Structure formats: structure tokens, C-alpha cells
Amino acid sequence: MSAQKDSWVSSFSFLLFCASSIPTWGSARLLQELSPQEYFSSLQAGRASLAYFSHNVFPGAQPFLEQIENSVEALQDYGISVVKVNCPKEDISRYCGKENAIRKAYLFRGNILIREFPTDALFDVNSIVANVLFALLFNEVKYVETLADLQNIENGLKGRSNMVFAYVPATGTAEHRAVMEAAFVYGTVHQFVLTTEATLLKDTGSDEPDVSSAQLLFCHCQRTTDLAQPCRRTAMEQALTLLNIHRHLKLMGAPLVTEVAEDPEKVSTVHLQLGLPLVFILSQKETYEADRRTAEFVAWQLLGKAGVALLSRDLVDLNVLLRSNVALKSPDEGVPIKYLVLEDTDEVITLVEDKNKVEQIQEDEEEEEEDEGEKENNNQDIQDDEVVEAVSRDKKRELPLEQILVLTEESFYSALSEAVQAVVLFYASWEAVSLAMLRSYTEVADHLKGTPGLLLSRVNCWDWPGICTKENVTQFPTIKIYEKGERSVMYNGMWGTEELTSFIMLSRVPCPLKLATIEEAEGYLRGEFPSELSSYHHTSLLGVFSTATSEAREAFEEAGNILSGHVTMGMYFEDDALALSRKYLVSPPALLLVRSGGQSVEGIALSKQSAQDMVRMIRYELLDVFPEITVQNLPRYLQLRKPFLILFSDGDIGQMESKEMLKLAKGRPQQAFVACWLNLKKTPVGRGVLRVYFATMPSLPLLVWVNLHAGGQVFKFPSEQSITEMNILSWLEKLKAGLEIPISTLSEEDWKPPLPAYDFLQMMETAVPELPLHASRRRGDTPEQRPPKSPGGDAAIPEEPTQVTKTEKVGSPGRDLRGTAPRLAAREKQGKRHSEL
Amino acid sequence: LGLALYAGSLRAAFLYHDYCVIGAGPSGLQAAYFLQQAGRDYVVFERSHAPGSFFALYPRHRKLISINKQYTGKSNDEFNLRHDWNSLLSHDRRLLFRRYSRDFFPNADAMVHYLEDFASLLKLQVQYNTAIIHVTLERNEQAWNGHYFLLTDQDRQNYKCSSLLVATGTWVPNVVNFPGSEYVEGYETVSINPEDFAGQTVLILGRGNSAFETAENILGVTNFIHMVSRSRVRLSWATHYVGDLRAINNGLLDTYQLKSLDGLLEGDLEDLAIIKDKKGKLHITLRFYLENRNTSAGIDSITLPQDELDNFATRAPYDRVIRCLGWKFDFSIYNRSLRMMPGKGNKKKYPQIKPNYESRGTRGLFVLGTASHSVDFRKSAGGFIHGFRYTTRAVHRLLENRHHGVPWPSTVYPITQLTNSIIKRVNEASGLYQMFSVLADIILLRENATAFEYLEEYPVGVLAELEMQTGRKAHNGLFIVIMEYGRNFSGADKDVFYYNRAVGEAQHAWQSNFLHPVIYYYKRLPTEREMRLRPPDWPLPRPDAVHHIVEDFLTDWTAPNAHILPLRRFLENCLSTDLRNFFAESCFLFAFTRQKLPPFCRQGYIRMRGLLGSEGLRRHAVEAGLLQDYALTDFLGDRQPDSHEGSQDQLLRDHVVPVRPLQHLVNAKDE
């Protein structure tokens, strides 16, 4: 957005530069006042000047004179001087003498009179500039009244040069001026033709021209060699201003189709610089000629709206789908190039035009916010970290910390040894994430109030760094759970109330838990034993071992240590283990698994596995086949590094969809994707996801395929099809074959710094240029280059503080308390006053 | 008899140790502690029968000028060391100096007692009553440094060591020789009983703390005291150097400026001459007059300055002249082959050493403690216990790496902890604080800036040799955390109380005057040449970027917006990444809508350690506009895009440009 503006401004200022660099003989005062003799003797050949003859007092001419004065500067840009000639009373020469001459202005080139203007034709700056340039650019701008005149000119230009045809409802208007100013610059390149006849406009092809507004058409006559055919025309769609005309002519001057043989990311054309998109037609050697014709066709359609480039795939190594045939590069920086598969040229045009429309709307919105936005950009000191900001907004609230014991270096070990189970939160009182966790911790404490033998405590590492180092706490926050002051487990789950509560409760039970009787084992599988866990949702695992399989049992026990807190693990290896295994159709060593809330018991055979393998296997088995994805569980599924097939639903999903999806998910055991669903009621952030995919909220339920880890394409399952296993499978086949077009591609953008930092290095160099910061300077040189020492103040101290010192001394003696608002405000005011003085 | 023979044979041979430390003062004991902790073979030689013999005599008036703060309002041990200038470093909490004295400026006897306890409680290997009188080298290819150090004590016992740590301090009193200097009493022997000075007129030579301490003691009983020295008085609160004149000793400045007879004069002591008249009074004259006089003439013939200039300042005769000119290093025990050279200019009292505290003349010889102060003389605290306890640890770490392959201790953190690590250190680290501009924390970035390695308190003078000295790799850029006073803020002639001396706003932090943290960023390790050519008064060469954390009245740099936020922006811009924290919900959104995740989500949420945050906190974030509440904004969000979509449909229908199919482009893939 801003880049676009910059290029506009720069090209505009270039234009102005061209215009103003024409030497002028204007003196310090712009409107010269001369006597007739002085005036006529000062005229130089080839120089234009506008003169107005005046007898000293002539009240009627006063407003006209004002307008003349206002336009002096504008005319001077075009090398035209403006002179007020004071006629002596007795003078009766040609210009001074005649009574009606006083009501006219005269335009001279050298000493030749070009034109007389009645003063009522010069009613404002626009009309003055328009009329004066119109008179001077007689050859460059042809004025036509009839269609025949226009066609004659057009025919004469064919094969030679292009024509700029402008219609203005009246001369002397701002639009007229803009056309004349453009003609001043481009008059030698293109033939300008001007008309005020609306009928001429009708015949130029536009069906129902709006004759009340000015129009400009670019006629591509240079390319037209056939005299019988009219020149192609491209209308300018924007309002007639100098800037827009300049932009339009620039675009018309650019090559119709640019041939490109480099990475599209690096390509830059006039179009991109002027804020227009660039369409790439991807071509191959075999189809080059046809592609070129297509590109030209598209280019004509998009002329003035977008650039078109022809990219040879054979010359550039493109990492995109082979069947992509079109690419779109946005002028906005950082927006990745979109590669598309389009069926016909119409789609290309629609694509560009819609995009422009959307941008137009956005632009309007942005303009309103621009001031605000700019301010924010400068405000590097405004907090943009959601956690830090949330914590600091909450800092005045007193936390209910009664349930959480504060430990110190002295009390730490004694407190730990007294508790059966002690949870310790290690945090730093200045660190936002630990303070956020402290808030969740108070909620945990509330849940677990009165749990026997459980101690909830905290250590502030800012107060007691020694104990934190000793306990190997290198990050904030850290939670460790100590058993009788001996064994400790580091909490490695989500930093949330529920997760931590459940972890603490689950780790109260030995993992794995040795079950003594077959009744206990059955109760365990039903989730009834141990009873203290019955209220916590969890998955139960039961290892069944025969007395002989001690190796697997040891691995299982070790795995239990690792998974403690995340899952409950039971272990049964009594003599009647066989009875249990027979009941669930497994042979020991084996694993019986009951999912959280589930009824069925799944049996898994254990082979000779290491503890690590077993942990991995158990973690995998804990994943659901068709899970509801939530903020809490997403990472577990992300670790599979597979694409996601997500059913978005507002509330619970329908039975039919659920059944079909489950069938799909179960159908292939080693699924290449994660099938899941998302409940927008429970996980409202899902709406944020959909908004990114669709820009608008689509109707629900909705099935989406997301290539999270490869390419980031998002595909939408056709909403007209019903969600059945068969339909989905055939759709997935099409996806695989590359026959579907993604609705969106996830941004590949890196996470860059949100805002710039203070550039102290540069500030130092600006403030103290003598400071030998550059290492290249030789040391021996430096003493001479150091600034002379001044008593009191010093080179490194900027001037401002000393100035402020003087004024503050009077008003407020004493130590600056810094940061107090009234003082800061006062200082600012004083600063201002100084700069004014 | 056998025992005696055995002892005799030992005497002839060399007693070998890997490390020999000369001197059991604070730095010698500090070095011994680290060597003992690391399980190294070492011995400390002490000429006296107890540690800290310097403190048994000095300061003569027994008041230490190193502060001993009982309370700071904080329980952070590391932070509290910033205001405990007497303790040595150890793991033993009993060995904190505040347990030995309750005085803010403790008595020197407490220091002697403390050092005795330090040596005995920690069971340090100190060999007392052993004065090393000669040190020489024995070339040997096998030795760590190409030679062994051979030490000889007063009983001709020889010792052989691979590495020599010189912790002898500066104990040889500085003496000036001029005609009549025989009438001058030395600080080391002068009476400390004020009674002895009653009604006397005293001239003190020197302008350091010992001179003022002597003056302070007798201020109330003398007629008047004059002090002569070459340079102007340097007040420590103006120079920010603890070795300059401390406010506790400066009573004479008061009486001088209030015209209460005492006075201060500048002049070169070398030009001075003292003449004793018949009454025993001492007159000041100039060496110049003595040289020109007729040698045969009597004492009366000597020209006194007041003969020519009758208002000459020191025309009044003195009863006593006291020399308080400080001490210098004992160079006498080193063989010429060790090339122990005195420093240049005002550092001539110290031996020449490199910024890694190794002698310039001899590899393997390290100078510790006060004698090593040439590295930061008149700048930082390397000549004082609260400074050299850290430089000694740094030397120990360098030696561990050089001789035992133990790399400099470091901790590796994920990049999300970068801001936290720096904030933690600048707020509590004592070594950085005391040894400002000399010791610095080094942050070595790992590849792709996903993690970093944190090294504490490395001597920045040898930054260029970092990889060799620490055994750590610095391939991917580094940050250096150091503390600095404002440039041009400190100086003997500076007004340190001017208005607006303190900067309050973060964007002007680079103009901070008081001690504040500065972080330098280098894309690659500076070279030796760049270190050599760095601007004067700069601890480091020009960095690729620099950040100042704005000075703080409380030296508490934990303010989220004024301190942490600008630091985070600096780090982000150096690393070109986003170091913000995010709630799990935001990470969830990013995971589904972006191909890349910010480090906080990548290292937290994705590894199942996402910050879910309490309901209340998330609400605050929503109110701040940093988090969106999708459950709420839904209605508003839906309507507008709908109408928008409608208008797009309209556009599509109105579009009547003739269509030419792009069929051949689609077909291209089949060929």
C-alpha cells in the first residue's frame, strides 16, 4: 500500500521536476511590475509572458488581478512569466491607450503577441493555466469539433504515433488544465486531441458516455497500420487529474506483454511500481506461440488495470504445480505470489478486477484509519504482547493465594519433606508468563482444596535464585512435583488449570499401579478403581503380564514413570493373568486400553519393546480415531505431521456426518491424514480460522482439507455434495490428482519483528558525529577529533536537556522524579517554547 | 632419624603442584577456593602466619571503606552481593561478611578474622610462614606452558608449579626521594594517636584515601593540615571509581573550602625539598634552590620560596611531614626471564598484564587481585575485593578450559527465554554490576536463532579470543550484556548533580548517565584488530546494533513497558523474528492459518506446553485489542462480508467481455 503511494509520489515529483527545471527569469517577487518600456525591452525571443496593462487605479480589475497573482507560481513552472505593466497616465500607445485593452491580458512569445484573453475568461488559476497553455501548445494539442477532423488526425497518426483524446465539458476547468499540463510534458511523445463536443465521445465506442464528466482515451495508433481499422482505445477510468493522466500514460507506454525469464518474486514492472497487480501467463516451449497470443489478448483486456507477463517455465525452475497456468503477483510487499489453475481468459480478468474492487474498498477504509495507523507505527512503546498486557492489566487485582504456600530458601526442603506430595511453581515475579500461570495455579488450588497430603507451593526465583538453580530451574515458569521430598517430576503439560489439576491427581497414583486381584483389575478397567480418580476423565491402560515376561514388564514400568500424570497405567501379573487375557482375547504380555468415557476394551499385543518405544506406542494409541479438535489437544495431532481433514460444525456434528467420518477414519488404519471435527461453540477460535480461509463466514457444517505441513493449500469440500465416505474419498482422489483448486493458501510469511526498535546507534552518530564509532578510523587520529571539552555540559549530552535545565531551575528545584506525568508534560511544553524562540 | 633423612631429601627436591598461588590475601584465597572446588592440585604460599597480613596492618586507622550493607530489602543473594563489598565468593552462607561485622564501614580486624575463617572453614591448602623470595622458569617441552615455575622460599625450599597465580597485592610503599625526605614519616609507621599531633602543624604528601584518612584522624587536634600532591583531588562520587577519595574520608575538604585553616595544594613532589631548622621545624623549599646554592654555606643560606615571593602558600613551617603515597607491586622476586614489567604512566605500580590477567612477559603466570588492577585502573572495581572476586573466578574458568578441557560453564536456552535471561541477569548479577565495562555476559546464538547459549562474566578485553578461551563456538552471532555509566558523565571535574542528569524515557536510554545495562549485537565475533581499534573509552568495538536499557533510580529493570518491551524489540530486530508470548488460543489460530509459527508457539504450544491462561487474563487481552473474542464478534463479522459477497456476484453477472478459452494452457500439462 505505502509502496504504491511512494512510487506515485516519486513519479509525480519527477514530473514536477521536469516542469520546474525549465529555467525561468523570474525574480524574487513573482509578479513583476514594470513600466511599458521596461516590459517591452525585457522580452526575450522564445520566452512566453503574460502581461496585464493597468492604469494605477481601476477597481473593476481587482479580483482578476488577484487570480493572476495566484497563478504566477503555476505558470512559472512552465517557464511563463507574469507581468503587470503599469501604464503612465499620459500613455496612449497600443496596449495602454485603449480603454478596452485594460480588460484584457496579453500572451507574448518573445515580442510576438500570441493571444489576447478577455479577463472574464481568466476567472481562476485553473482557467488561467489551462488557457495560457492551450494557446502556447497550439501544435501539440489539436482542438477538434467534428468527427471528420478527429478521424483525419487519427488516420494521419496510424503507424506513427499514439493519440491522447480528451473530452472536457468546457474549457478553463480543472480537467482542462490537467490535460494541458500533461500535454506540456507528453506533447512531444503523443498527439493530444481535445474536444468539448459530446457527440464525438459517442462515436468513440462507449455506449452511453457520461457527457457531464471529462474523459480521456488513449488511442493506440502506432500499432495500427490498417487504415481501414480504427485505432484501439483504452479509456482512463479514473478522474482527470494530472497525477492520474500521468499514471495512465505511463501504463500505456509500458510494453503490452513483458517476457520474463527469472523468478517471479524478483520481477518488477511499471505496473507493480504503480500499485497494479502483475499477471503471469506460465508458458512452455511447446505452446509458446499460443501462450503469447493469449497473453496479448489478456493484456488488452487488462490494459490500465494490471500488467501481463509471459513466463517461460523452461527457463525458470518453478516450484509449483505443473498444471498451474497463471500466477498473480500483488503490488503489496510481502504478499506471496498466487499460482492458479484457470480455465479461460475470463477468469483471469475477473480475478484481477475483483481484486481491484476489494482493494478499492479496503483502501477507502484504510484511509480513514490511516492517521491512527501511522501513530501506532511510531508507538514502539505500546505493548503488543497479549500475555504481558493481560497480566499487567490484572496486576492490581489481589490474587487468592492463601492456598499456596510461599517457600523460601530456608523452608524449601523442610516443607517438601513433610508433604506426601508437594507441587512447586517456580516463577519470577516480573515475568509475564509465570504470572499468567500463577493465576491458573490459584484456580488449581481452589479445585484441590482439602486434598489430603497435598501441598501446593511456590518459589519466587527473583527472591531465591539459589534454590532455583539448585533445582535446575532454567525457565520460567517451571512446575515440579515432589514425592516425600525425594523423587521429583517436572510438569510438561499444557499450562492450564484443568490440565495441571488432572496431572496432579493422576500422579498421586503410582504409575503403573500394581493390581493385586482380578477384581481390582476389572474395576480398574471400568474406571472405578482407584476411586479418587473416578471423577477425572482419563484413559486407562492395563498391562497384563505372565510371570515369565519380566523384560516387557520392566519396560512397561519405566514407561509408566515417563507417562506419569498424563495417563493411568495399571499392571497385573498374578498367576491368573491368563484368565484376564483370555477374556479380552490377548496373550500376555499385552496391553488393555479403555479410552476416556469409552466402554470397549481394546487389546494390544506387546512385543519386545524398549521403554521409549512403548511410550511412543502408548502416546499413539491414546490418539482418537476421529477426535474433536480443541485448543488443548491440537498439538498431539499436529505431531503426526499429516494433513488435516476437518469438519467444522456449529455445535455437535450430526449423527450421519459423524458416522460417515468415523467410517472414513477407521477405513484406513494407516491413514495419511488426520480426520477430525471442530465444534465452534466449544472452540470459537475456529471461526477465526474459517475467516482466514474464506474471508467470510461460510455456511456450516463444512468439510475442509488443510495441507498443514506441505504447501499450506486449503480445499473446501463441495457444499452441494453430502458428506459421505464415498463422496469424500472421490474428492480426495481429485485432490491428490491436483484437479481441485485451493480456496486459500496459508501464508508462508515469516514471523518478523512486529515493530522496529530504537536505533540507538544511529541516534548516537547523529547527536555526536565526532564520536569515532567507526572502527576503520585509526586510533592515533582520534584525540584531535574529539570535541573540545566544555565545562558542565559535554558532547554526549544533547543540547535539549541543558536548555530545559535552565527553565526548570526556576520553577521546580530538586531531583527529577522522572516519569511523573505533569512534569513530563511541562518539559514537553518547555521544549516547544525553546524551538519557537 | 629416618624421618629427618626423608625430610632432608625432600628439601633438596622440588615440591610439585599444578597451581601455585603466592599470597593468602582475599584474591589468593578466592583463587584457592575455586581450585579446591574444581579438585585441582594447588598450594597457597603465605609469608605471614595467618591470611590477610596486609589487613592486619592496613588501613592504619582500621576503617575499611568498602561497604557492608546489612539490609537491601531483598532476599536475592546474588543481588545482595552488589552491596556487600567484602565477602568472597563461596557456597557457604556462613561466609558472608555481614555475619562478621554490623558496621557499614567495618573495622579491618573483621576482615582479618573473616579471611582466617574463609581459609579454615573451607579447608583451603595454605602454607603459612612461607615467603617466596625468588621465582624463575625451567624450560620444559612437556610443561603446560613450555616451562615450569620454580619458586624458592626464605628457607631455600624449592617448589615447582605448572601455573603460577600471583596474588601478592601491592604492598611496597611508594617513596619519593627529594632533599630532606629523611624528615618524612611514612603512613605505615606514623602514629595513629591523635594526642601525638596536638598543637602541631602537619603537611601530608599524597591525596588518596590513606592521606585523607590520616588527616581525618588528626583534624581536630592540629593547628592546621596542608596536603600536597601533583594532581587535583578526585572525588569518587564524581569519578564513579571506588578507589578515589570517598566521602567518608573527606572532612578536610570541608574545612579547606570553609577556610578553617586546613588546605590543599597542587605541586610536583619531585621538585620539593624539606629543610629542618634549628628548632626542629620543617620548611618547604624547592629542589631548584638547593641545587644552586653554595654547598659550603650553612642552613640559613638556603633560599626559601618566600624570600622571593612573600605570599608563598606553604611558607609556614611544619612540625611533621607525613607521606601517604600508596603502594606498589613487589617486582623484586621475579627473575629477569619472567619479564615482569611495570605498567606505563599511572599504572606503573602494577605489573603489565593482558586483559585475560596473564602476564605479558610469561605465559601461564596470572596476576590476581589488587595487583591485576591495571586492566581497569580508575574505571571499574578490579582492584577491590568486590571486583576481583569475579575476575579471579573468570581467570579460574579460563584455566579450566586451557588446562583441563572444561569449557566455560554455559546454559543453553530456547530463544523464547532470551529476553528473560537478560532481564534476570541485569537485575541480579553482581559480577556484571561491580565489574562494569570489564566483565560481560555473552550470548552465543545457535543456528537459525532457535536457541542460545549463555556464558556469564567473561572478560570482554579478550572477546576476540572467545572461542579459544572458552571452548564455545560463536558462529551465528552474539549478544554482549554489559553495564556502563554514561560516557562523559564521570570525571574529577564533572558536575554529577546537574538537572535532568537522569533519563526517564526508554527512547532516550542511550543518554543514560548512571550505571545501566547495555546490550551489543555482533553478527560475527569481533576480531583482535577491531578490538584494538575500538574507540577510546569504549569497552567494545562498533556493534551491528546496540541497546541501552534506560537507567533506573532503583536499579530495578523489570518494568514491562519501559525496560522489557524496548529490549524485546531490539532482540527481535537483531534476530529478525517475533519474540512475543501468545496464549494457546492464538497459537491454535496460527497453526491452522499460517505455515510458520512464532517461536513462542513453536517451542511451547506445539510441544504441548501452551499457555492456556485463565479466563480473566484472556478477557484482559481481548479488552486490550490483542486477542479476539470469536464467540462475541461473530454477529458483526458475518453480516458485512455477506453483503460484500453479494455485490461481487453482481459484478460477475454484469461482466460481458467476450471470452476466449484458455484451453491450450490447461492442456499443456498433458504433453
Side-chain angles (χ1 to χ4, degrees), chain A residues 231-379:
Chain A
C231 307
R232 261 177 196 274
R233 296 170 182 215
T234 311
M236 185 173 96
E237 287 177 354
Q238 292 87 1
L240 242 70
T241 64
L242 180 55
L243 199 64
N244 284 337
I245 297 173
H246 164 67
R247 186 167 173 269
H248 192 65
L249 296 182
K250 271 249 153 187
L251 288 171
M252 295 306 118
L256 192 60
V257 174
T258 318
E259 297 213 26
V260 178
E262 60 173 328
D263 183 359
E265 291 285 357
K266 290 177 191 145
V267 171
S268 178
T269 67
V270 178
H271 304 92
L272 291 170
Q273 285 153 19
L274 290 176
L276 293 178
L278 183 63
V279 175
F280 290 91
I281 305 291
L282 307 187
S283 164
Q284 288 170 9
K285 219 186 289 162
E286 297 82 1
T287 58
Y288 179 79
E289 274 312 313
D291 293 340
R292 183 160 181 96
R293 282 195 300 277
T294 309
E296 278 177 14
F297 175 79
V298 171
W300 278 116
Q301 304 294 320
L302 291 176
L303 205 56
K305 294 168 199 148
V308 175
L310 190 64
L311 177 69
S312 308
R313 292 187 77 138
D314 312 301
L315 301 175
V316 186
D317 188 23
L318 275 184
N319 193 19
V320 292
L321 275 179
L322 192 62
R323 49 193 290 263
S324 300
N325 51 11
V326 170
L328 185 68
K329 182 170 180 174
S330 155
D332 303 334
E333 250 175 273
V335 179
I337 291 184
K338 273 192 186 155
Y339 290 95
L340 307 154
V341 182
L342 298 184
E343 297 280 328
D344 59 48
T345 50
D346 201 21
E347 282 183 55
V348 182
I349 290 145
T350 316
L351 185 78
V352 171
E353 290 185 344
D354 285 355
K355 197 169 170 340
N356 284 352
K357 282 271 153 41
V358 172
E359 263 165 25
Q360 199 70 46
I361 293 161
Q362 280 171 348
E363 213 167 290
D364 295 345
E365 282 168 5
E366 266 168 43
E367 252 158 54
E368 285 162 36
E369 292 162 21
E370 205 153 301
D371 287 21
E372 242 171 277
E374 253 168 351
K375 218 178 276 168
E376 264 169 16
N377 260 349
N378 296 336
N379 281 347

Side-chain angles (χ1 to χ4, degrees), chain B residues 52-123:
Chain B
S53 58
F54 185 88
F55 286 98
L57 180 59
Y58 302 117
R60 292 298 313 282
H61 304 88
R62 308 313 285 152
K63 183 169 276 200
L64 296 176
I65 52 173
S66 40
I67 62 171
N68 174 42
K69 223 165 154 37
Q70 302 283 311
Y71 307 102
T72 61
K74 293 198 165 72
S75 59
N76 187 317
D77 286 335
E78 178 69 15
F79 175 87
N80 286 344
L81 274 176
R82 288 181 172 187
H83 307 290
D84 171 354
W85 292 8
N86 296 290
S87 298
L88 294 178
L89 302 178
S90 77
H91 59 275
D92 193 333
R93 289 177 62 86
R94 290 173 296 177
L95 291 169
L96 285 175
F97 201 82
R98 63 167 188 263
R99 292 171 188 256
Y100 286 79
S101 171
R102 300 192 61 80
D103 297 331
F104 188 50
F105 292 106
N107 190 288
D109 295 338
M111 178 56 76
V112 177
H113 182 202
Y114 174 81
L115 294 175
E116 277 170 9
D117 278 8
F118 191 86
S120 60
L121 282 175
L122 297 169
K123 301 191 173 60

Side-chain angles (χ1 to χ4, degrees), chain B residues 18-29:
Chain B
D18 283 349
Y19 293 94
C20 288
V21 184
I22 310 181
S27 64
L29 295 180

Side-chain angles (χ1 to χ4, degrees), chain A residues 338-461:
Chain A
K338 273 192 186 155
Y339 290 95
L340 307 154
V341 182
L342 298 184
E343 297 280 328
D344 59 48
T345 50
D346 201 21
E347 282 183 55
V348 182
I349 290 145
T350 316
L351 185 78
V352 171
E353 290 185 344
D354 285 355
K355 197 169 170 340
N356 284 352
K357 282 271 153 41
V358 172
E359 263 165 25
Q360 199 70 46
I361 293 161
Q362 280 171 348
E363 213 167 290
D364 295 345
E365 282 168 5
E366 266 168 43
E367 252 158 54
E368 285 162 36
E369 292 162 21
E370 205 153 301
D371 287 21
E372 242 171 277
E374 253 168 351
K375 218 178 276 168
E376 264 169 16
N377 260 349
N378 296 336
N379 281 347
Q380 295 150 302
D381 47 349
I382 287 185
Q383 189 58 259
D384 52 0
D385 183 312
E386 59 194 38
V387 181
V388 176
E389 184 61 23
V391 168
S392 60
R393 278 173 185 241
D394 196 43
K395 73 178 167 204
K396 290 228 170 128
R397 183 169 69 93
E398 207 178 316
L399 295 177
L401 291 165
E402 312 77 45
Q403 308 291 329
I404 301 168
L405 188 67
V406 178
L407 296 183
T408 67
E409 206 150 276
E410 282 84 24
S411 64
F412 185 78
Y413 290 105
S414 60
L416 253 51
S417 60
E418 281 161 21
V420 179
Q421 189 193 21
V423 183
V424 188
L425 169 69
F426 295 92
Y427 70 108
S429 48
W430 47 265
E431 202 268 332
V433 178
S434 10
L435 294 183
M437 191 52 212
L438 188 58
R439 279 154 177 82
S440 301
Y441 196 39
T442 60
E443 294 172 3
V444 173
D446 199 42
H447 286 308
L448 297 179
K449 200 154 55 180
T451 310
L454 174 68
L455 170 72
L456 295 182
S457 62
R458 61 192 166 111
V459 174
N460 183 353
C461 294

Side-chain angles (χ1 to χ4, degrees), chain A residues 143-147 149-150 165-171 194-204 209 211 213 215:
Chain A
Y143 182 79
V144 293
E145 283 182 331
T146 65
L147 197 60
D149 291 346
L150 180 63
F165 174 56
Y167 159 76
V168 289
T171 56
L194 184 75
T195 189
T196 49
E197 299 299 319
T199 47
L200 291 189
L201 202 58
K202 242 174 213 157
D203 289 331
T204 56
V211 294
S213 64
Q215 293 210 21

Side-chain angles (χ1 to χ4, degrees), chain A residues 173-189:
Chain A
T173 55
E175 290 84 16
H176 182 203
R177 176 187 172 181
V179 172
M180 296 320 302
E181 287 184 302
F184 190 90
V185 180
Y186 289 98
T188 52
V189 186

